Amino acid sequence: MILKASQRSGATALADHLMNSRDNDHIDVLETRGFMAEDLHGAFTEAYAISKATRCRQFLFSLSLNPPQDHVASEDQFLDAAERIEDQLGLNGQPRAIVIHEKEGRRHAHVVWSRIDGDALKAINLPHFKNKLRDMSKELFLDHGWELPKGLQSYGAKSPLNFTLAEWQQAKRTGIDPREIKQLFQSAWERSDSQVGFKNALEERGYFLAQGDRRGFVALDVDGNVYSVPKWAGIETKEVKARFGSPESLPSVAETRADLNRKVTQQMRGYIEEIKSNQAQAREPLSAEHRVMKAEHRRERQKLKEGQAKRWHEETKARSAKLNKGLRGLFDRLTGTAKLTRSKNEREAYRCAKRDQAQRDRLVIAQIKERKKLQKRMQKLREDQKKDRHIMMRNVIASLRRLRDPDQLQRDRQRRRTRGLSR
């Protein structure tokens, strides 16, 4: 499993994120251990309250467990991974919550521990936890017989999927995959040995270099969104300054945004909105099918949950009835019969719990198999729409260049005539 973790605060925000049913098909709180509350908001609030007796601000340790794309992990596998990780990090016995998410036909889990030792009233130190999790991730892949990803085969090669939360959220707001944006900036950086070359390379893809408010290098897209060049190119700020020098010759963010607003005509904005609208309409049938499937899957899981709860109640009642009361119960306690009966009840209860867990896993695997079929169709549509966006962006760039240079339109027409492409 790919393991990503951080020390953090923000109990309410984290609970809201983990229980976000809008972005996840299914959410299952598998465990809340060591807390008085049984819900995430209450549990994390408890951790926050205890942390106030210490100087610790990042009182939570949040970890995501992501199995390979072609594998559906069971509840036992997530629990086993959580146990091994807390042993490795020294979080044994600490209050923890485990939440399982399903999204786009994939199943992953989040584990959140309280870092506060309730007896000593101090935070548990987690030195070098990233290196330890890297080693544990490789161990889990090998134990389960999964093919090692490149990022674990060689620690020197950082995975291109390691985005910060801020990068991901900004890319989601613009409706473009963050991997696409990051690769674009990295490609422009590799191709350029000067500020002018980098500026031209970005403009070919619809991003425009400017001077940031803190005298750094930033880029704006055609909607005026700002991107930090070092962050999105994956380099140090000092490397940018060493190659490009000072950004003082570049226009400011405000000037660049105003220039873009003047040059991107209302007609072109209408074209962009039309493309977005058409793509949204094309996605709607699949989105509607997804909503129906998600609702049906949730009903099936709720039905199973209620059925298992009812059966558990009846089985518990039946086991309780095996213990005699009154004088006969007293006689059983004196002879040891009651102790044997309780021991037998405990073993039976354990077997019933494992039976219910296996039943839940079977339902989840069947549903994910159905969901993946829909996801393949959705992915195909996304790929096609991505190509359409690239065509749209080339049109926008051509229009901006023509606005900057009125003679560009005539030169474009002449070039097409030369190539025999004029109509």
Side-chain angles (χ1 to χ4, degrees):
M1 297 183 186
I2 299 296
L3 307 176
K4 299 180 182 179
S6 64
Q7 299 176 143
R8 59 166 296 161
S9 57
T12 300
L14 180 57
D16 288 343
H17 170 67
L18 294 180
M19 297 305 294
N20 178 10
S21 60
R22 182 181 61 185
D23 292 338
N24 295 285
D25 293 353
H26 305 284
I27 299 173
D28 182 25
V29 180
L30 183 60
E31 179 186 83
T32 52
R33 183 195 72 187
F35 297 104
M36 294 291 291
E38 296 182 357
D39 65 288
L40 289 189
H41 287 84
F44 294 170
T45 300
E46 285 181 32
Y48 171 71
I50 295 173
S51 75
K52 298 301 289 182
T54 72
R55 295 183 180 180
C56 179
R57 294 184 178 180
Q58 296 179 327
F59 53 92
L60 297 174
F61 185 72
S62 177
L63 170 73
S64 67
L65 301 91
N66 297 278
Q69 187 169 359
D70 58 351
H71 180 78
V72 181
S74 67
E75 293 180 1
D76 268 343
Q77 288 176 327
F78 285 131
L79 287 167
D80 174 67
E83 293 288 345
R84 293 168 65 176
I85 290 165
E86 73 177 27
D87 286 343
Q88 183 71 17
L89 298 181
L91 290 168
N92 309 72
Q94 284 299 110
R96 77 180 184 197
I98 302 179
V99 182
I100 297 178
H101 284 174
E102 289 177 39
K103 179 180 180 181
E104 297 185 347
R106 298 191 64 184
R107 195 185 200 198
H108 65 277
H110 297 266
V111 187
V112 181
W113 287 270
S114 169
R115 291 183 57 220
I116 307 302
D117 184 335
D119 295 328
L121 285 181
K122 64 178 183 180
I124 295 175
N125 190 26
L126 301 173
H128 312 298
F129 72 83
K130 291 184 179 179
N131 291 338
K132 292 177 181 178
L133 289 176
R134 177 199 64 195
D135 294 337
M136 178 58 67
S137 179
K138 184 173 183 178
E139 188 175 322
L140 288 170
F141 269 87
L142 293 174
D143 286 353
H144 291 294
W146 301 330
E147 183 180 352
L148 280 173
K150 293 182 179 179
L152 292 180
Q153 291 175 6
S154 173
Y155 294 144
K158 185 179 179 181
S159 169
L161 300 178
N162 291 336
F163 305 112
T164 67
L165 180 60
E167 289 170 345
W168 177 256
Q169 289 175 330
Q170 183 178 14
K172 284 184 72 175
R173 284 196 295 271
T174 62
I176 302 175
D177 192 314
R179 288 167 287 196
E180 187 179 342
I181 300 174
K182 198 151 194 172
Q183 288 174 4
L184 184 153
F185 275 77
Q186 290 171 342
S187 174
W189 171 261
E190 292 169 358
R191 290 164 48 195
S192 308
D193 56 4
S194 67
Q195 185 181 131
V196 173
F198 185 68
K199 178 175 179 292
N200 292 337
L202 286 181
E203 288 190 7
E204 287 178 3
R205 297 295 300 275
Y207 294 83
F208 304 88
L209 202 59
Q211 177 181 338
D213 296 337
R214 297 181 181 179
R215 299 171 62 84
F217 288 90
V218 299
L220 282 75
D221 61 18
V222 291
D223 291 323
N225 299 301
V226 180
Y227 301 82
S228 168
V229 169
K231 179 190 294 184
W232 285 88
I235 53 179
E236 298 288 339
T237 302
K238 60 184 179 182
E239 295 181 62
V240 180
K241 291 182 178 179
R243 182 178 295 188
F244 297 157
S246 171
E248 292 180 355
S249 61
L250 294 171
S252 67
V253 170
E255 291 170 339
T256 303
R257 187 175 284 123
D259 186 48
L260 287 171
N261 286 336
R262 286 194 299 270
K263 292 178 178 178
V264 179
T265 64
Q266 189 62 38
Q267 180 182 5
M268 185 55 66
R269 288 189 177 276
Y271 175 59
I272 293 173
E273 291 303 317
E274 183 180 355
I275 291 291
K276 291 180 179 179
S277 176
N278 290 342
Q279 290 191 348
Q281 290 177 14
R283 291 192 300 267
E284 181 53 33
L286 289 178
S287 298
E289 188 175 343
H290 171 225
R291 288 193 294 270
V292 172
M293 181 182 293
K294 180 167 68 173
E296 179 61 28
H297 286 181
R298 287 182 175 179
R299 281 194 295 269
E300 290 175 356
R301 296 193 187 195
Q302 183 63 27
K303 183 179 179 180
L304 177 63
K305 182 178 180 181
E306 292 172 355
Q308 287 185 340
K310 182 180 179 181
R311 183 173 61 189
W312 181 265
H313 176 74
E314 293 172 351
E315 291 172 344
T316 302
K317 187 176 180 181
R319 287 191 292 268
S320 180
K322 295 177 182 179
L323 292 169
N324 293 317
K325 300 179 180 178
L327 291 176
R328 191 173 183 86
L330 177 60
F331 178 77
D332 288 348
R333 287 194 294 274
L334 292 174
T335 60
T337 303
K339 183 178 180 181
L340 291 174
T341 303
R342 282 195 295 271
S343 179
K344 183 179 179 181
N345 284 349
E346 289 174 358
R347 291 194 298 271
E348 185 179 339
Y350 177 78
R351 287 194 297 270
C352 291
K354 299 303 289 184
R355 174 204 62 201
D356 289 351
Q357 185 180 73
Q359 193 176 14
R360 291 194 298 270
D361 283 339
R362 285 195 297 270
L363 177 61
V364 167
I365 291 171
Q367 289 185 346
I368 287 182
K369 185 177 180 181
E370 183 181 1
R371 178 65 175 85
K372 281 186 173 181
K373 292 180 180 178
L374 174 61
Q375 188 61 31
K376 286 181 179 179
R377 292 158 55 200
M378 297 176 77
Q379 187 62 35
K380 177 64 169 57
L381 179 62
R382 289 176 184 173
E383 299 272 341
D384 293 341
Q385 292 189 344
K386 181 178 178 180
K387 294 177 183 177
D388 291 341
R389 287 201 305 270
H390 287 169
I391 294 173
M392 175 188 71
M393 190 56 65
R394 285 199 295 269
N395 290 334
V396 172
I397 295 165
S399 297
L400 289 173
R401 286 177 173 171
R402 287 194 290 268
L403 286 167
R404 291 176 177 175
D405 184 358
D407 296 330
Q408 183 66 40
L409 178 60
Q410 186 61 33
R411 288 198 293 271
D412 288 345
R413 288 175 176 170
Q414 183 61 41
R415 189 180 299 111
R416 284 196 294 270
R417 292 193 191 98
T418 304
R419 295 177 180 175
L421 298 177
S422 63
R423 297 183 180 179

